[in-house]
């Protein structure tokens, strides 16, 4: 299987696409600086205790209180509180937890008001990002994830992934880590650590301990709440979780992101640094890899998947609901049961793909087409389990109910990915009244003249809809509109197509890839008014 990661970085916006055999399987969007991201560590203050929920609301700087349940405090919560208090009272002291005495673990069935007080200052970590009207969910069981291991301060245990089956290998890894692990630090060994040398694990362990020490050093009593440690960018987080030696290519169109990813791959797999490639073509990177088209066809309310069949995906406050429809096409010679089986099996393939692509979590209810035979219902259940086995998120699948409903729970730590696929007319803005489209190229020409003469930019690219691009290139080379513009304005003017644009939209960028603002360009009506005043 060919695995490729494509990263489109445009200023503060970063879009990340994972492709398997040329098919988009995961998509992530970062708009500006991501706050309250999973893995971020805060010094926060308890705002309010909720004994009835056995939980507390904590102030981490979000507009709503962040939720911390008693079960998420962690066994070593008392040690963590005592250590935090020590750091706050003696900020200049060398505060190392290796010499800090571990206190007795809290009870698994205790009450929140036995260990927490309103106004208490504690360290917490984001376990789930804000979703809908809910604030972040927190944990005080701090962990810092690496490629091979996860570091857990205030613990002293070593856990090895159950997916490492060999008892000999599990013992080897434990013995290696016992020899290098600092006191009062626990470790979770990830599956990808199998077969790795002591030098590799020790090097990453040292780097993770350094991150923890930097977070402790950042504690400042005068700043509350305070971000102590921020998880790496979403691109690196995804890369850390999904990277494996079989990765073929990582494409990125931004120099800073390229250098960051190169450094990371060089750190975890020096021999594979060459798979990171800087994309330099003028064509948008997502258009080049056919990702834009897949996004437009995969994120709508209705999703077609086979022979006219389609899914309807609806989101409610409590759950996601998916309805399977056979459409108007059935196979000749098949009875109703066989048509239902074929449609449901194909739907199971697409649903598993959609859950992963949109990162849908929580409760999912699927209304499949009714099937009478128990063996067919079992076949569908097994097909769904097989498809979901490739999903990294924790999930649970229940058998079909007598009403033909399948229930799935899937780990939700971030809001489900929502991409608007419907486009409002960029010319009439939904009013139904527009200027003559035949004059559109003349409007573009006016904008080119404005950029050249007023803004004094000689080299730039004009992105247009693919249909408009074809019209501009129509005819022989010397008779096309594109050639006329080059002859009039010079060879620094370049026209490219962009599938993300509406039919009568344009986008101007300079030679460095930065957007050119045309806000100062007066429209025809303003120019006419100005001429009248001059007369």
């Amino acid at each position: 299987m060919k695995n490729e990661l494509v990263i489109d970085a445009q200023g503060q916006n970063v879009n990340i696409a994972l492709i398997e055999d040329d098919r988009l399987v995961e998509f992530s969007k970062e708009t500006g600086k991501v706050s309250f991201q999973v893995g971020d560590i805060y010094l926060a203050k308890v705002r309010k205790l909720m004994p009835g929920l056995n939980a507390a609301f904590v102030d981490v700087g979000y507009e709503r209180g962040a939720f911390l349940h008693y079960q998420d405090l962690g066994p070593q919560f008392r040690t963590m509180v005592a250590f935090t208090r020590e750091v706050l009272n003696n900020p200049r002291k060398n505060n190392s937890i290796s010499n800090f005495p571990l206190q007795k673990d809290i009870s698994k069935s205790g009450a929140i008001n036995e260990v927490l007080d309103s106004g208490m200052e504690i360290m917490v970590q984001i376990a789930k990002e804000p979703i809908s009207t809910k604030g972040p969910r927190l944990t005080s069981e701090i962990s810092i994830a690496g490629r091979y291991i996860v570091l857990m301060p205030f613990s002293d245990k070593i856990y090895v992934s159950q997916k490492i089956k060999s008892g000999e290998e599990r013992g080897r890894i434990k013995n290696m880590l016992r020899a290098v692990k600092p006191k009062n630090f626990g470790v979770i060994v990830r599956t990808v650590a199998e077969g790795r040398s002591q030098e590799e694990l020790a090097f990453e362990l040292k780097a993770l301990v350094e991150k923890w020490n930097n977070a402790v050093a950042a504690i400042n009593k005068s700043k509350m709440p305070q971000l102590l440690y921020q998880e790496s960018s979403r691109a690196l987080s995804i890369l850390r979780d999904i990277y494996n030696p079989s990765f073929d290519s990582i494409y990125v169109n931004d120099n800073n992101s390229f250098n960051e990813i190169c450094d990371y791959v060089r750190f975890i797999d020096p021999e594979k640094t060459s798979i990171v490639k800087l994309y330099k073509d003028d064509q948008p990177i997502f258009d080049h890899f056919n990702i834009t088209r897949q996004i437009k066809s995969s994120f709508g309310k209705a999703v077609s998947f086979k022979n006219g069949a389609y899914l309807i995906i609806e989101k409610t406050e409590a759950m996601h609901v998916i309805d399977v429809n056979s459409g108007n096409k059935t196979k000749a010679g098949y009875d109703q049961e066989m048509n239902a089986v074929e449609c449901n099996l194909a739907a199971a393939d697409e649903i598993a793909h959609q859950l992963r692509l949109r990162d849908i979590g929580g409760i999912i209810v699927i209304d499949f087409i009714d099937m009478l035979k128990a063996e067919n219902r079992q076949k569908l259940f097994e097909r769904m389990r097989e498809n979901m086995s490739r999903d990294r998120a924790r999930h649970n699948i229940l058998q079909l109910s007598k009403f033909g409903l399948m229930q799935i729970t899937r780990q939700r730590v971030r809001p489900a990915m929502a991409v608007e696929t419907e486009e409002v007319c960029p010319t009439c803005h939904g009013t139904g009244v527009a200027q003559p489209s035949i004059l559109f190229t003349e409007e573009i020409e006016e904008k080119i003249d404005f950029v050249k003469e007023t803004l004094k930019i000689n080299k730039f690219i004009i992105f247009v809809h693919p249909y408009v691009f074809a019209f501009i290139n129509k005819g022989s080379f010397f008779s096309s509109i594109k050639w006329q513009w080059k002859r009039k304005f010079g060879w620094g003017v370049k026209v490219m197509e962009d599938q993300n644009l509406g039919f009568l939209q344009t986008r101007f960028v300079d030679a460095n890839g930065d957007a050119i603002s045309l806000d100062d360009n007066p429209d025809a009506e303003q120019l006419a008014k100005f001429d009248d005043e001059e007369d």
Side-chain angles (χ1 to χ4, degrees):
M1 179 180 291
K2 183 173 71 171
N3 292 326
E4 294 177 312
L5 194 68
V6 181
I7 302 170
D8 178 21
Q10 297 181 11
Q12 291 294 316
N13 300 329
V14 180
N15 297 328
I16 306 156
L18 173 63
I19 304 173
E20 293 180 356
D21 291 336
D22 298 323
R23 188 186 190 197
L24 180 65
V25 294
E26 289 189 24
F27 179 61
S28 178
K29 295 178 65 177
E30 283 189 27
T31 304
K33 191 69 174 177
V34 178
S35 300
F36 309 103
Q37 182 176 318
V38 172
D40 291 351
I41 301 175
Y42 284 83
L43 177 64
K45 184 174 289 188
V46 178
R47 179 186 293 177
K48 185 178 181 181
L49 298 182
M50 303 293 291
L53 299 175
N54 204 17
F57 285 106
V58 179
D59 180 15
V60 293
Y62 188 68
E63 57 189 17
R64 293 176 178 269
F67 186 78
L68 176 64
H69 194 272
Y70 181 86
Q71 297 296 330
D72 294 321
L73 296 179
Q76 301 85 25
F77 181 73
R78 286 195 180 94
T79 304
M80 186 274 292
V81 171
F83 179 78
T84 304
R85 188 179 296 116
E86 176 70 20
V87 175
L88 287 170
N89 293 334
N90 301 282
R92 296 186 179 182
K93 183 180 176 181
N94 182 19
N95 294 292
S96 170
I97 67 172
S98 295
N99 300 321
F100 196 82
L102 296 181
Q103 300 192 18
K104 183 180 178 181
D105 290 357
I106 64 173
S107 171
K108 292 183 179 180
S109 56
I112 194 74
N113 50 12
E114 294 175 353
V115 292
L116 275 183
D117 294 314
S118 182
M120 181 182 287
E121 296 156 339
I122 58 175
M123 273 193 286
V124 291
Q125 188 169 32
I126 305 294
K128 288 186 180 181
E129 293 177 9
I131 297 174
S132 185
T133 59
K134 300 176 181 177
R137 179 151 186 168
L138 307 176
T139 177
S140 284
E141 200 164 8
I142 307 295
S143 62
I144 302 177
R147 171 64 180 160
Y148 305 121
I149 59 179
V150 179
L151 182 72
M152 299 185 302
F154 310 113
S155 176
D156 219 8
K157 297 180 180 179
I158 299 175
Y159 304 93
V160 181
S161 169
Q162 296 292 331
K163 293 182 180 179
I164 299 179
K165 302 297 183 182
S166 169
E168 182 179 349
E169 176 65 8
R170 294 168 67 88
R172 182 187 75 89
I173 293 174
K174 283 187 175 182
N175 289 334
M176 287 192 305
L177 288 173
R178 285 194 187 100
V180 297
K181 182 183 69 64
K183 186 180 178 183
N184 293 345
F185 282 102
V187 170
I188 299 174
V189 180
R190 309 181 79 172
T191 307
V192 290
E194 187 172 9
R196 295 293 173 174
S197 66
Q198 181 171 348
E199 289 76 16
E200 290 175 293
L201 298 182
F203 185 74
E204 183 172 75
L205 178 63
K206 183 180 179 181
L208 295 177
V209 171
E210 184 66 23
K211 288 182 179 181
W212 163 256
N213 290 334
N214 291 337
V216 172
I219 291 178
N220 188 333
K221 191 172 184 178
S222 63
K223 295 181 180 179
M224 192 79 63
Q226 180 187 8
L227 177 63
L228 302 179
Y229 167 79
Q230 189 163 35
E231 183 60 283
S232 54
S233 67
R234 187 67 55 88
L236 286 185
S237 297
I238 292 177
L239 186 61
R240 181 188 65 204
D241 292 338
I242 67 176
Y243 179 84
N244 61 68
S246 66
F247 241 65
D248 297 281
S249 301
I250 301 171
Y251 296 96
V252 58
N253 63 350
D254 175 72
N255 274 303
N256 292 333
S257 300
F258 171 76
N259 293 330
E260 184 182 42
I261 292 172
C262 276
D263 291 342
Y264 182 74
V265 174
R266 190 179 295 113
F267 168 70
I268 63 173
D269 198 349
E271 296 179 358
K272 300 284 285 186
T273 308
S274 60
I275 69 173
V276 185
K277 301 170 184 177
L278 181 63
Y279 180 84
K280 296 182 178 180
D281 290 355
D282 293 328
Q283 183 184 21
I285 187 170
F286 273 17
D287 288 5
H288 178 82
F289 289 98
N290 197 34
I291 295 171
T292 303
R293 184 179 297 276
Q294 293 190 61
I295 291 173
K296 295 288 186 182
S297 63
S298 300
F299 277 90
K301 175 182 175 181
V303 179
S304 300
F305 59 91
K306 186 177 182 182
N307 296 330
Y310 61 95
L311 306 174
I312 298 294
I313 303 176
E314 294 274 13
K315 178 183 181 299
T316 72
E317 185 69 22
M319 66 184 72
H320 281 79
V321 181
I322 303 176
D323 184 34
V324 179
N325 296 274
S326 61
N328 56 4
K329 294 185 179 181
T330 56
K331 281 197 173 183
Y334 278 29
D335 59 20
Q336 182 178 348
E337 180 80 1
M338 288 302 297
N339 275 315
V341 170
E342 182 179 353
C343 183
N344 283 338
L345 292 177
D349 298 339
E350 182 60 30
I351 289 169
H353 172 239
Q354 287 289 326
L355 297 185
R356 186 178 175 190
L357 177 61
R358 303 186 189 210
D359 198 15
I360 295 175
I363 301 173
I364 303 111
V365 178
I366 308 167
D367 183 12
F368 284 102
I369 300 171
D370 290 342
M371 296 179 295
L372 300 177
K373 297 181 180 179
E375 57 266 29
N376 290 333
R377 294 194 291 271
Q378 181 63 27
K379 185 177 181 180
L380 175 60
F381 174 71
E382 292 173 357
R383 180 70 159 263
M384 182 60 79
R385 287 185 59 185
E386 178 185 352
N387 290 334
M388 294 290 289
S389 64
R390 296 187 288 271
D391 195 332
R392 291 181 290 114
R394 292 195 300 270
H395 57 269
N396 187 31
I397 307 172
L398 300 184
Q399 289 274 9
L400 268 76
S401 70
K402 63 180 180 180
F403 298 115
L405 302 177
M406 178 180 288
Q407 300 173 64
I408 299 176
T409 59
R410 186 176 181 272
Q411 180 187 23
R412 177 170 65 179
V413 296
R414 298 184 179 96
M417 181 59 58
V419 176
E420 186 61 53
T421 58
E422 295 182 349
E423 299 173 355
V424 176
C425 174
T427 304
C428 72
H429 303 288
T431 64
V433 179
Q435 297 296 322
S437 57
I438 196 171
L439 302 179
F440 182 58
T441 53
E442 296 180 12
E443 294 178 12
I444 297 177
E445 189 169 328
E446 291 176 4
K447 293 178 180 179
I448 296 174
D449 184 70
F450 173 75
V451 173
K452 287 275 293 184
E453 300 301 327
T454 305
L455 301 183
K456 304 299 182 184
I457 301 175
N458 294 319
K459 290 186 177 182
F460 54 91
I461 303 173
I462 312 162
F463 288 101
V464 297
H465 187 276
Y467 289 173
V468 176
F469 178 78
F471 178 75
I472 292 172
N473 284 275
K474 186 181 70 170
S476 65
F477 180 78
F478 292 104
S479 66
S480 68
I481 296 174
K482 180 180 177 180
W483 166 249
Q484 295 173 23
W485 288 349
K486 285 186 177 294
R487 187 170 56 187
K488 182 177 179 180
F489 298 107
W491 289 93
V493 178
K494 195 170 185 179
V495 183
M496 296 290 296
E497 57 182 316
D498 187 344
Q499 298 174 9
N500 264 321
L501 293 177
F503 185 60
L504 298 182
Q505 282 182 305
T506 57
R507 181 165 62 91
F508 284 65
V509 299
D510 60 22
N512 297 321
D514 297 325
I516 299 174
S517 174
L518 302 178
D519 292 342
D520 294 330
N521 185 18
D523 58 23
E525 183 179 346
Q526 291 173 320
L527 284 173
K529 183 178 179 181
F530 177 79
D531 290 340
D532 290 342
E533 291 174 352
E534 287 292 304
D535 294 339

